[in-house]
Amino acid sequence: MKYRTLGKTGLKVSVIGFGGIPVQRVTAGEAEAIINRALDLGINFFDTARGYTDSEEKLGAVLRKRRKEAVIATKSMARTGEGMTADIQKSLKTLGVDYIDLYQLHNVKDKDALEQALSSGGALAVLKEAQKDGVVRHIGITGHVREILLEALKEEDLETVQFPFNAVEADGAQELLDLCEKRAAGIIVMKPLAGGALRKASLALRFILDYPVSTIIPGMDSIEQVEENALVGKNMQPLNADERKLLDEEAGLLGAAFCRRCEYCRPCLQGIDIPMIFLLEGYYTRYDLKDWAVERYRGLQAKADACIECGECEDRCPYNLPIRRMLADAAKRLGQ
């Protein structure tokens, strides 16, 4: 496994890290095997969050036993000092550790949220105190809106930035990459496979490693995925012309208005698994697996037409997708 420096934190992190969202879908025993295999293959950067249900718990159960091998990153949606204080303590307890290597302001997506977090009594002030106390070693920010992250980087105390970057969303990222380099901010890439929409995982990861990023955090919920992704970080082979063409063709099929499976839309009060429905629709429309997608759609407990159009999912979507309309379209295609 190859390693890079996480910006001005000075931490040496594996170029392939571990995204902690998918471990919510596996049992504790399965998660233990997956995480241990990642560590065995040299993956040392693990990203989770307070909002990822039992992800902190599952990662902590393994990582606290192999603490010296792991760089643990978590994050909180809290913007107030009071909220952040509570979340730091919850993270320490749930992970079962004495300190957290990187604590991040999670999914800051508008100016009001950024200003609140950076205010004198806000979340950042509490993180800086926790840093002085040694329970938080480094501080970062995550988000999906580049303009907000560019503004946030004016704050010197933010040492890392985590944002989506992949073969589909490469346009416009250079300004943020350049500013990160200027500010010596560590770059953590989320959604490297565009939320699973890019099926050629190896090519998608190798594409990103050509850029000066610190680590890439694909979500993994199987040992096979861990082994495949770790191999990319070990070999570090740049794409050749034919491979780049294949990836460009796949990215071109996706366009811009598609679900990245970030799962911020969940839970749906009607029980609709929104990311799963859009994943199945992708198989139906992009990969010509119509019968397969329809069959699995029929097995879902709540179908797309159960949507009552409350709009809560759209309020939470960081990509501002018209989810209600997209669900209606999916119902027409898949509900045959």
Side-chain angles (χ1 to χ4, degrees), residues 3-77:
Y3 298 85
R4 292 178 178 174
T5 303
L6 186 61
K8 56 189 172 184
T9 70
L11 296 168
K12 298 294 183 182
V13 295
S14 51
V15 294
I16 300 297
F18 189 100
I21 289 180
V23 295
Q24 299 172 93
R25 300 194 290 262
V26 301
T27 67
E30 290 168 336
E32 181 179 5
I34 291 165
I35 297 161
N36 273 313
R37 185 59 176 153
L39 286 163
D40 292 343
L41 292 174
I43 293 174
N44 77 340
F45 185 83
F46 294 83
D47 178 84
T48 181
R50 288 289 325 122
Y52 297 167
T53 62
D54 62 357
S55 177
E56 281 188 337
E57 180 181 352
K58 287 173 176 172
L59 265 68
V62 177
L63 299 182
R64 60 176 170 258
K65 298 174 184 176
R66 303 178 66 172
R67 188 66 183 91
K68 293 182 179 179
E69 300 174 64
V71 174
I72 300 175
T74 192
K75 45 195 180 287
S76 165
M77 291 283 289

Side-chain angles (χ1 to χ4, degrees), residues 268-272 277 297 301-309 327 331:
C268 167
L269 294 178
Q270 305 308 308
I272 303 170
I277 286 175
Y297 177 76
Q301 199 164 24
K303 310 293 193 296
D305 58 9
C307 174
I308 61 171
E309 300 194 6
L327 283 173

Side-chain angles (χ1 to χ4, degrees), residues 65-245:
K65 298 174 184 176
R66 303 178 66 172
R67 188 66 183 91
K68 293 182 179 179
E69 300 174 64
V71 174
I72 300 175
T74 192
K75 45 195 180 287
S76 165
M77 291 283 289
R79 307 295 184 234
T80 65
E82 182 180 5
M84 183 58 76
T85 297
D87 274 357
I88 291 172
Q89 292 305 312
K90 289 175 185 176
S91 289
L92 290 167
K93 182 178 180 180
T94 306
L95 287 162
V97 295
D98 296 326
Y99 68 93
I100 294 164
D101 298 283
L102 175 65
Y103 213 105
Q104 301 158 100
L105 299 168
H106 188 187
N107 192 25
V108 181
K109 60 182 180 179
D110 56 53
K111 189 174 181 180
D112 288 343
L114 180 63
E115 289 180 351
Q116 185 180 23
L118 302 187
S119 66
S120 59
L124 179 61
V126 166
L127 284 170
K128 288 164 67 176
E129 286 301 314
Q131 192 175 38
K132 290 178 183 177
D133 294 338
V135 295
V136 167
R137 297 290 172 87
H138 303 283
I139 303 170
I141 187 170
T142 83
H144 296 73
V145 183
R146 292 193 183 104
E147 291 75 17
I148 297 299
L149 296 179
L150 288 168
E151 181 66 23
L153 278 174
K154 295 177 182 178
E155 173 56 61
E156 293 287 343
D157 292 305
L158 295 176
E159 302 169 84
T160 67
V161 180
Q162 181 179 142
F163 60 94
F165 182 47
N166 51 63
V168 185
E169 300 174 278
D171 292 342
Q174 194 59 53
E175 184 181 5
L176 185 52
L177 292 169
D178 290 343
L179 186 56
C180 286
E181 183 177 9
K182 181 179 179 181
R183 298 285 189 182
I187 300 172
I188 304 163
V189 174
M190 61 171 157
K191 304 294 177 288
L193 309 183
L198 293 170
R199 299 177 73 195
K200 297 176 175 62
S202 175
L203 299 187
L205 296 177
R206 288 164 58 198
F207 165 82
I208 299 169
L209 288 175
D210 274 344
Y211 290 84
V213 304
S214 306
T215 185
I216 307 171
I217 52 169
M220 294 177 265
D221 59 9
S222 74
I223 288 176
E224 291 75 20
Q225 291 173 359
V226 169
E227 292 174 344
E228 179 183 355
N229 293 340
L231 191 61
V232 173
K234 177 182 178 182
N235 293 336
M236 290 281 288
Q237 293 292 323
L239 296 178
N240 60 39
D242 289 340
E243 290 170 329
R244 181 60 184 264
K245 183 180 178 182

